Amino acid sequence: MFKNMKYVGYLVIVFIVATSCSSYQKALKSEDVKVKYDLAESLYKEGKYPKANRLFEQILPKYAGKPQGERVVFMYADALYKDEDYYTAAYQFERFSTSYPNSQKSEEAAFYSAKSSYMLSPVFSIDQADTYSALNKLQGFINNYPQSEFLSEANEMVQKLTSKLEKKELEIAKNYSKTYYYKSSIKSIDNFLLDYPGSSYKEEALFVKLDASYKLAINSYEYLIKDRLLEAQEAYDDLLKYFPNTTFADQASKIQEDIKEELSKRS
């Protein structure tokens, strides 16, 4: 008896799935726009975003300029976002904001267009073009909607993206030093400190400059060493000025001792 019930249940599930698939395939092939719309909306509400999107793609041109078009475009953009197709979602949300600037959903669409771009930002170690693009979009959103309910989240994303760019610049400077391009390392740090004066990486940046300055000095021609040692001393003083209890104290002190020793030879 129990086995028969399980079998019947299995057949019911198979029938439902088959019917559902059949309805979906029929809707895809149908010329009736309303059939496509109704099923797309139903699939969207059920969280079946890939299937919903195939239908939305078919009906979008049909609803251009019509009252329902606003709803279709927003659902399509939202489904793309939830399906993690962030490139297309960013475009469709932006398209919505442009096409329906007076919509109650315009602010939300502008935010999610920017957030979609944020989601595309890669790890700091590779090209950051998408990060810059996301920052521009987020800053534009913040400027346009200073009272938005999404403002806090937008500011948080800006901070995270900025920190990523800071990390990228710092790593470039460190790599210059590792490959013996000490001048380039120092120049990169100087630019970093100008661009990001309040960076959470400032302490490490100042230490990198100290280390590179000392290495540049001792690897210079003799007639340049003293002046460059004095510049390294200035880099040490700057580190201690801003971070008297620096976490790089042991390494910095060792460099400082070496600077003094080298200077004493040239006094």
Side-chain angles (χ1 to χ4, degrees):
M1 178 75 175
F2 180 70
K3 288 183 177 180
N4 288 337
M5 289 177 64
K6 285 180 66 178
Y7 180 69
V8 171
Y10 172 76
L11 289 177
V12 169
I13 292 171
V14 170
F15 175 77
I16 291 172
V17 171
T19 303
S20 174
C21 290
S22 176
S23 299
Y24 177 66
Q25 292 301 324
K26 286 180 180 178
L28 284 174
K29 297 174 183 177
S30 175
E31 297 297 323
D32 190 328
V33 177
K34 189 176 185 309
V35 169
K36 293 178 185 289
Y37 176 93
D38 289 343
L39 184 56
E41 183 175 27
S42 177
L43 291 168
Y44 168 77
K45 290 178 178 178
E46 292 171 14
K48 297 176 181 178
Y49 304 119
K51 285 188 173 183
N53 284 336
R54 287 191 64 190
L55 291 167
F56 283 136
E57 287 165 4
Q58 290 184 347
I59 64 176
L60 272 173
K62 306 294 184 181
Y63 282 97
K66 295 182 179 179
Q68 303 99 314
E70 178 180 337
R71 180 169 173 78
V72 172
V73 175
F74 188 88
M75 284 194 295
Y76 178 46
D78 191 49
L80 288 165
Y81 176 83
K82 288 172 178 172
D83 196 38
E84 300 182 5
D85 183 355
Y86 298 121
Y87 273 110
T88 317
Y91 169 75
Q92 290 297 338
F93 274 125
E94 187 171 355
R95 176 189 176 196
F96 180 94
S97 294
T98 303
S99 301
Y100 306 100
N102 298 320
S103 170
Q104 292 182 343
K105 292 282 190 178
S106 182
E107 177 184 326
E108 185 177 353
F111 172 73
Y112 277 101
S113 177
K115 187 172 182 178
S116 294
S117 294
Y118 167 82
M119 299 299 289
L120 294 168
S121 174
V123 294
F124 77 88
S125 57
I126 62 178
D127 182 78
Q128 293 298 301
D130 285 329
T131 300
Y132 284 108
S133 176
L135 271 172
N136 287 335
K137 280 194 173 185
L138 283 164
Q139 195 57 59
F141 173 80
I142 291 167
N143 294 341
N144 291 330
Y145 301 97
Q147 304 301 321
S148 174
E149 63 178 296
F150 302 111
L151 188 63
S152 177
E153 187 177 355
N155 281 323
E156 184 179 337
M157 287 189 284
V158 166
Q159 289 175 1
K160 288 181 179 179
L161 293 177
T162 302
S163 180
K164 186 182 293 187
L165 293 178
E166 292 171 8
K167 180 68 172 174
K168 173 79 172 180
E169 294 303 312
L170 180 58
E171 289 302 313
I172 289 172
K174 288 165 70 175
N175 285 332
Y176 276 136
S177 188
K178 288 176 184 176
T179 52
Y180 311 108
Y181 290 98
Y182 303 121
K183 281 186 179 180
S184 296
S185 180
I186 294 165
K187 181 64 176 177
S188 291
I189 292 297
D190 286 340
N191 290 336
F192 175 91
L193 295 171
L194 284 172
D195 292 339
Y196 308 108
S199 172
S200 60
Y201 298 109
K202 183 173 182 177
E203 180 182 0
E204 185 176 1
L206 288 170
F207 174 74
V208 170
K209 182 177 180 180
L210 165 61
D211 184 61
S213 296
Y214 173 67
K215 288 175 178 175
L216 175 63
I218 61 174
N219 286 284
S220 297
Y221 291 111
E222 182 60 38
Y223 73 94
L224 293 172
I225 291 179
K226 183 176 180 179
D227 286 344
R228 288 181 173 175
L229 285 170
L230 291 173
E231 289 172 359
Q233 177 64 53
E234 289 178 7
Y236 174 81
D237 293 340
D238 282 343
L239 174 62
L240 270 291
K241 174 185 174 182
Y242 290 104
F243 300 96
N245 299 311
T246 177
T247 55
F248 298 98
D250 290 344
Q251 296 156 277
S253 294
K254 177 64 171 63
I255 294 173
Q256 164 72 344
E257 290 172 7
D258 290 342
I259 291 172
K260 286 183 176 179
E261 183 179 342
E262 292 297 329
L263 281 172
S264 68
K265 297 176 183 176
R266 296 167 175 83
S267 58

